[in-house]
Amino acid sequence: MRKRVTITIRGDVLSEVDKSINGLTIRSRSQAIEYMLSKNLEQYKVDSALILAGGKDIIENVHKCMVDVKGKPVLEHVISMLKGFGINNIVIYVDHRGEKVIEHFGDGNKYGVSIKYLIGDKPRGRALPLKLARPYFNKTFLVYYGDTLSKLDINDMARLHKDNRALATLALTTVSDPKRYGVVKLRGNRIIDFVEKPKESGSHLVSCGIFLAEPELLKYVSKKMYSPETDLFPKLSKRNLLLGYPYEGLWLNINDKQTLGQARNLWS
């Protein structure tokens, strides 16, 4: 459905708009403007994601990504959020109790997305899924930790990522106790240092467990790596290959009963 709007455009810009009117596929200024806007937005579109839903952490006798928040598993909230941004091609990595995830979500058709699975025999950290994911991604994709709820604007982060031609762009937030997370130091939008769970830190800026990546990032992942935070990001930050996207909205990392309670109170 189209809507009528009134806008003011500089004369030179309008002249460029008029040049795109060819009388065939584009017959009017309205069509020309719509076409140009669509093309501009398309270059920022991300339609694929890797969700990391492995690990052995259990809350209320279920895997933490499957624990109930407002009548749905955490992972279902995540998939719904991604679908809202047009991310319809999803790969989910599972290992411990992964059969419960596969049984619940199936091929994703019920949720309006396509889901494929990477299956690990046992928890081996978060670097292994990136290594296994190489055949599945040939363009910009999102990595999202399955125990995390957020209201992050993926499209806005994608603009920063693609405008700067970054190898990876990490969503960042501030926490009161940064010692539990990967702490980041920024210079402009560049991440110049990344330290996982430091004993002391002058920064309260941490990784959200959400990042955009180019397929080339996966070439940096080796068999010896355990997690991006401990083994990959610190090395890439030293080479100025990482961007940071500060985020101030709702972010909930559900890893124990306390954070689960917060999620149930705050999530909507």
Side-chain angles (χ1 to χ4, degrees):
M1 182 178 68
R2 287 178 168 79
K3 295 185 178 181
R4 182 181 297 276
V5 297
T6 301
I7 59 175
T8 302
I9 302 178
R10 287 198 336 249
D12 58 330
V13 174
L14 189 60
S15 178
E16 292 300 314
V17 169
D18 288 342
K19 290 178 182 178
S20 68
I21 300 173
N22 57 25
L24 297 173
T25 57
I26 302 176
R27 299 172 180 269
S28 66
R29 279 181 173 174
S30 294
Q31 284 185 320
I33 292 171
E34 183 178 53
Y35 171 78
M36 289 181 170
L37 285 173
S38 297
K39 291 294 289 183
N40 184 63
L41 293 174
E42 184 67 24
Q43 68 175 316
Y44 298 113
K45 183 175 175 57
V46 176
D47 63 10
S48 303
L50 170 64
I51 300 177
L52 305 186
K56 59 182 179 180
D57 292 338
I58 304 299
I59 306 175
E60 296 184 347
N61 202 36
V62 297
H63 193 282
K64 60 182 179 178
C65 74
M66 293 298 289
V67 74
D68 182 271
V69 173
K70 301 293 177 70
K72 298 178 182 178
V74 169
L75 194 51
E76 189 170 333
H77 288 289
V78 172
I79 290 172
S80 178
M81 176 257 202
L82 298 185
K83 183 176 182 294
F85 285 103
I87 298 176
N88 299 315
N89 301 304
I90 297 173
V91 177
I92 302 178
Y93 171 83
V94 296
D95 43 49
H96 183 61
R97 298 199 182 186
E99 68 280 358
K100 298 296 184 181
V101 174
I102 297 172
E103 180 182 335
H104 185 92
F105 293 101
D107 62 5
N109 185 60
K110 178 180 177 181
Y111 302 94
V113 298
S114 170
I115 297 178
K116 295 181 174 63
Y117 296 92
L118 296 174
I119 303 174
D121 57 349
K122 62 181 179 179
R124 298 175 185 269
R126 285 170 166 156
L128 174 65
L130 294 178
K131 184 174 179 60
L132 296 176
R134 288 184 184 182
Y136 291 87
F137 300 103
N138 58 14
K139 58 183 177 180
T140 307
F141 65 100
L142 181 76
V143 178
Y144 200 108
Y145 291 5
D147 59 355
T148 298
L149 293 174
S150 81
K151 299 291 186 179
L152 179 71
D153 187 335
I154 304 298
N155 290 340
D156 194 52
M157 185 166 71
R159 291 187 187 95
L160 175 71
H161 176 78
K162 295 196 175 187
D163 283 346
N164 289 274
R165 299 181 179 179
L167 182 67
T169 299
L170 281 60
L172 309 174
T173 191
T174 54
V175 296
S176 57
D177 181 14
K179 296 178 184 178
R180 299 170 56 193
Y181 303 94
V183 176
V184 171
K185 291 184 180 180
L186 282 180
R187 181 178 295 146
N189 288 320
R190 290 282 168 185
I191 295 176
I192 60 172
D193 199 11
F194 191 104
V195 182
E196 173 69 356
K197 298 182 180 178
K199 294 181 180 179
E200 295 182 4
S201 175
S203 172
H204 286 255
L205 202 58
V206 304
S207 170
C208 289
I210 306 167
F211 60 93
L212 287 166
E214 296 304 311
E216 290 75 18
L217 175 80
L218 305 179
K219 298 177 182 178
Y220 290 87
V221 182
S222 70
K223 294 180 180 179
K224 297 180 179 180
M225 291 182 175
Y226 182 76
S227 80
E229 288 79 9
T230 58
D231 304 310
L232 180 62
F233 294 155
K235 294 179 181 179
L236 296 180
S237 68
K238 295 294 190 296
R239 300 176 65 175
N240 287 323
L241 293 175
L242 299 180
L243 284 186
Y245 177 82
Y247 165 65
E248 297 180 353
L250 182 63
W251 174 77
L252 300 162
N253 177 225
I254 302 167
N255 50 34
D256 53 32
K257 288 185 178 181
Q258 180 181 354
T259 52
L260 173 59
Q262 293 173 347
R264 286 171 171 168
N265 288 331
L266 298 174
W267 187 254
S268 60

